[in-house]
Amino acid sequence: MTLAERARRVIPGGVNSGQRSIPGLTDLVIARTEGSRFWDTTGREFTDYHAAFGPPLLGHNDPDVAAAVSAARASIGLTGVAVTEGEVTLAEQLVELVPSMEKVLLTSTGSEATFHALRLARAATGRRLVVKFQGCYHGWHDSVSLNVISAPERVGRPDPTSAGILPEVLAATLVLRFNDVAAVRQAFADHGPDIAAVILEPVPHNVGALLPTDAFLRALREECTKAGSVLVFDEVITGFRHALGGYQSLAGVTPDLTTLGKAIANGAPVGAIGGRADLMDLFSSRPGGPVFFAGTYNGHPDVVAAALATVRKLREEPVHEHVFRLGDRVRAGLAELYRTLDVPAVVTGYGSVFVSYFMSGPQPRSYDDLLANDTALFVGYRRRLVDQGVFELPLNLKRSHLSYAHTDADVDRLLEATETAVRHTLAEGGAEDLENATTMGGAVR
Ligand code: PMP
């Protein structure tokens, strides 16, 4: 029996996260990662642009991060009774770097951070409703477990991604179109006094890349301030990846709370929630609170050491310069390639993140715009990329990531492999079995 078969016997779906049974990948078992590469147990090598949905901004198994974790492990394990020096230093650095953060707490995952952000917002305001946007994913917990790519007619009517969620929880969530200023104004006109929080990915990367308009982000800030609602930027993907201060530092719009995860520890399991001190001070580790906060592994020394090493490297080395330059090269190269092949495509992204939608322009601004994407071609060319050892996840609307470990030679090879993959897909037909190509009923990570 193969390892993948053994996995399916004892692990539901055969893997430990939500993206299960991806066509063509059901027998993939990972053996090793390093830099821009991973290897499977049969010895196949892949250049990785999926990047585990985004954490390894420095590259897989970065040696400086690994050394910092080993040093921490040699000197300090987990006690769980008091704070450590590393936690203090990391919190000071996050407060210094991220504009909205006056105080910050560590969690072990991004989902925990968004869970606590929404609970805190409800506790602070005494209100019920949470506003979220199509195209944005915020984790697996009930308040946000809504189908992020619901059909347009379902906007405003939450569509759960999972069985087992109380209808009352779904009814307390409003779903609006991203970048739709009029819808935001209307929601506040109709429900302002009941809105506890507005949560968004400032760049919805869970459907590739929808770039926010300045007017949209400013309208959110204005309406939340006027109504006394808590504005939450979920920067689990964008934090550190687009800038050390998060996308908020680039947009010049400061939320009340910010959630971080993924890239802030280059792959070690960490999340963070931070923001206005008057809100954050409501958290207490005592049951009864007022807002309860706990977690056995929060602030784990290994993870804190990984985060501190990541911050150090991002501050001291030209990481952002490198990944932004490669990102521009990839986007320009892909756009040129599709022009040459006469394939309608919009190549977009931000910095190290890129995605090609197979549709005519203009730049998509909301999930509705992405309904024009040719899913068969999108999934089909990515399956052929995987066959060539270039790993972009073959699922609809997934973004791809560059890291500090990727090189210009990797980009050359990516462009060549993409040309071959797209040509073959056009000649032979795109993926047909698309049922599994969008997973979790459309929820995306
Ligand atoms: N927020 C965003 C924007 C995410 O993309 C994700 C996960 N991809 C999460 C929250 C949840 O983070 P985690 O998977 O670490 O729980």
Side-chain angles (χ1 to χ4, degrees), residues 129-136 138 146-152 154-158 173-191 195 197-200 204 210 216 219-220 223-224 365-368:
L129 294 180
V130 166
V131 172
K132 78 176 285 293
F133 296 90
Q134 269 189 314
C136 294
H138 304 293
L146 305 172
N147 192 336
V148 297
I149 53 176
S150 311
R154 293 201 61 98
V155 167
R157 283 191 288 152
T173 312
L174 299 178
V175 185
L176 305 182
R177 281 192 182 84
F178 196 78
N179 271 328
D180 189 339
V181 173
V184 169
R185 302 260 189 235
Q186 193 61 51
F188 273 93
D190 294 345
H191 306 286
I195 296 176
V198 173
I199 185 167
L200 67 150
L210 298 173
F216 177 67
L220 293 176
E223 291 293 337
C224 283
R365 292 293 186 183
S366 70
Y367 172 70
D368 294 2

Side-chain angles (χ1 to χ4, degrees), residues 134-136 149 178-179 201-213 237-238 241-242 247 331 346-357 359 362-367 369-370 373 378 382 396-401 444:
Q134 269 189 314
C136 294
I149 53 176
F178 196 78
N179 271 328
E201 289 181 70
V203 183
H205 279 311
N206 275 288
V207 285
L210 298 173
L211 300 178
T213 63
I237 295 173
T238 51
R241 181 165 279 283
H242 292 343
Y247 194 78
R331 283 182 291 273
V346 177
V347 181
T348 186
Y350 187 88
S352 59
V353 173
F354 63 95
V355 64
S356 307
Y357 301 118
M359 59 189 223
Q363 180 77 235
R365 292 293 186 183
S366 70
Y367 172 70
D369 295 340
L370 302 180
N373 177 48
F378 190 102
R382 282 170 176 231
N396 196 27
L397 302 182
K398 297 299 180 208
R399 67 194 177 276
S400 294
H401 310 80
V444 283

Side-chain angles (χ1 to χ4, degrees), residues 3-4 25 27-35 37-46 48 60-61 391:
L3 269 169
L25 300 182
D27 292 323
L28 186 67
V29 178
I30 307 299
R32 189 164 79 81
T33 69
E34 186 187 325
R37 305 283 197 272
F38 68 79
W39 289 261
D40 75 1
T41 44
T42 68
R44 281 186 301 174
E45 177 180 322
F46 297 89
D48 187 16
H60 288 295
N61 244 333
F391 201 90

Side-chain angles (χ1 to χ4, degrees), residues 53 108-112 114 137-140 201 206 234-237 259 262 270 399 444-445:
F53 291 103
S108 297
T109 66
S111 295
E112 291 164 75
T114 59
Y137 174 80
H138 304 293
W140 41 253
E201 289 181 70
N206 275 288
D234 179 358
E235 299 231 37
V236 163
I237 295 173
T259 53
K262 295 194 194 268
V270 70
R399 67 194 177 276
V444 283
R445 306 179 314 136

